[in-house]
Amino acid sequence: MMSGYRTQAGQSVLDQLDLDRGFIVKAKLAQRLARSIAEMGLSQREAAALLPIAQPQLSWITRGKLDDSSPAKRDV
């Protein structure tokens, strides 16, 4: 069970962690992208066809592979 910890209004858990600001922005974008794909009922292949990236890159992003060594970063 949760310990009762709450984040401030307008913030996420990511904001509470002492992470690099650039990483937090990328993580939030990845979360939003994954949520939008799910809400539209698209497969990753269908979503990738609408974006300027390939499906494997989209998979890396939505799974949180956000470091500079990921294929999504190298092929952009």
Side-chain angles (χ1 to χ4, degrees), residues 12-32:
S12 74
V13 173
L14 290 170
D15 295 317
Q16 300 296 312
L17 300 173
D18 191 25
L19 299 172
D20 175 66
R21 186 71 187 147
F23 182 83
I24 292 172
V25 170
K26 288 190 271 185
K28 286 182 177 184
L29 286 171
Q31 288 175 334
R32 185 170 294 175

Side-chain angles (χ1 to χ4, degrees), residues 20-73:
D20 175 66
R21 186 71 187 147
F23 182 83
I24 292 172
V25 170
K26 288 190 271 185
K28 286 182 177 184
L29 286 171
Q31 288 175 334
R32 185 170 294 175
L33 179 61
R35 187 172 40 247
S36 295
I37 290 168
E39 287 173 356
M40 290 188 278
L42 298 173
S43 69
Q44 283 187 356
R45 186 176 305 234
E46 292 167 329
L50 299 172
L51 299 168
I53 60 174
Q55 184 276 327
Q57 294 169 319
L58 180 58
S59 177
W60 274 75
I61 293 168
T62 58
R63 288 186 294 131
K65 306 293 184 180
L66 305 172
D67 64 349
D68 289 340
S69 64
S70 73
K73 177 73 174 182

